[in-house]
Amino acid sequence: MKAALGSKPAAVLTLPAVRGMAERYGVPVEDALLIAINLFGISSAHGRHRARISVRLTTRPDVAWMVIVPLNAKASPFHLAGDELSLGGVVVGAIDRVAADEAVGGYFRDDGRAATLNPNARSRCVGCSFCPNTLEAAADPRLSEERELAELLAAMVEQHPRHNLAELREVTVSTGCFERERAAVDHLIGLRDVLAAHGIGARIGFLTSVIRTREAFVELAERVAPFVLRLRPTGNRQPLSGDRAGWMQ
């Protein structure tokens, strides 16, 4: 569906077109809209290259979705005026909040059953084709030691809905800023050791394209599993519609 949405020129992307693709691929229209927002970004007067946005779609106003997209995408079919988000002149959602995309050390998803960690400095990211990445170093944590990871988990216990990290089913490492495969593998091994020390057997997820060799996969299987790798493209930045990210498990 990403490829289908991304191949459609922004000028002709309309709500009926998005509804049609959602029906064709058998997904909720909300999913199709959120994918399109991620692909095209949003045109607005904010001028921010990257922002966290809480949006309530008109089709499901009871649910607030969080997206991180540029707000200065002039060619986008999505336009934000006031708190109204429109697609091709048709209001498709309301924006609850716009905030700077400051990288926090970690946060919870799925009512505390999943967590995302940002353990490496994203401001050093070499870039992926779909990611409009800019972060201020002052708001950009870098956790390079097991001690620092342990301290982060200890702090997250207090933030957990039930103060129990043993409920975690997946811990996602959400950064592509490991410049070398060895550094990424070492970090994941260290993370597994810290999770085990805290009685957390959650699957570790990693979003990257830096892990490429058979030797690395063997080591991850032996020392990090359960583990899931989600692939992301690398190279020079291209238009957002060039996203060809996939995933493997």
Side-chain angles (χ1 to χ4, degrees):
M1 172 174 275
K2 283 184 180 179
L5 284 165
S7 64
K8 186 175 289 293
V12 298
L13 187 68
T14 62
L15 182 57
V18 173
R19 288 185 182 277
M21 276 185 273
E23 183 175 351
R24 174 184 173 188
Y25 288 95
V27 302
V29 67
E30 294 81 16
D31 284 11
L33 280 168
L34 292 170
I35 290 171
I37 292 171
N38 273 284
L39 283 170
F40 292 101
I42 298 172
S43 169
S44 75
H46 285 269
R48 292 188 179 184
H49 189 55
R50 184 182 174 107
R52 291 180 185 267
I53 302 156
S54 175
V55 57
R56 294 181 183 272
L57 300 175
T58 55
T59 54
R60 284 292 307 275
D62 57 314
V63 178
W65 278 277
M66 184 70 71
V67 294
I68 303 174
V69 295
L71 287 179
N72 62 349
K74 295 181 180 179
S76 173
F78 293 94
H79 181 69
L80 175 61
D83 63 354
E84 288 189 342
L85 179 66
S86 60
L87 171 60
V90 178
V91 175
V92 295
I95 303 299
D96 286 345
R97 184 174 68 258
V98 174
D101 181 32
E102 295 183 345
V104 295
Y107 56 90
F108 294 103
R109 298 175 285 109
D110 193 19
D111 191 32
R113 289 179 286 271
T116 295
L117 305 183
N118 292 308
N120 211 24
R122 271 196 295 173
S123 58
R124 301 176 66 245
C125 182
V126 295
C128 295
S129 65
F130 64 92
C131 180
N133 179 57
T134 54
L135 279 175
E136 296 295 333
D140 196 6
R142 182 178 180 82
L143 305 177
S144 56
E145 300 178 4
E146 291 184 21
R147 174 183 55 80
E148 294 170 322
L149 286 170
E151 290 173 354
L152 171 60
L153 290 180
M156 291 182 69
V157 170
E158 302 304 317
Q159 303 170 20
H160 190 272
R162 290 162 295 281
H163 306 291
N164 182 11
L165 297 187
E167 294 183 7
L168 288 172
R169 298 185 299 206
E170 180 164 326
V171 174
T172 299
V173 177
S174 180
T175 178
C177 315
F178 293 93
E179 298 176 5
R180 299 180 308 280
E181 181 182 77
R182 185 68 254 166
V185 172
D186 287 344
H187 185 85
L188 293 170
I189 292 172
L191 175 59
R192 173 57 70 197
D193 290 344
V194 171
L195 292 178
H198 284 73
I200 303 170
R203 181 175 72 174
I204 293 177
F206 192 31
L207 175 62
T208 187
S209 57
V210 74
I211 297 177
R212 301 182 180 186
T213 67
R214 178 180 296 275
E215 293 76 14
F217 283 107
V218 169
E219 193 169 3
L220 290 171
E222 292 176 348
R223 304 185 61 183
V224 178
F227 174 78
V228 58
L229 176 68
R230 295 177 174 87
L231 300 179
R232 66 191 302 175
T234 60
N236 294 332
R237 301 184 192 279
Q238 301 294 329
L240 291 177
S241 60
D243 178 11
R244 297 180 182 272
W247 64 274
M248 64 177 291
Q249 181 172 339

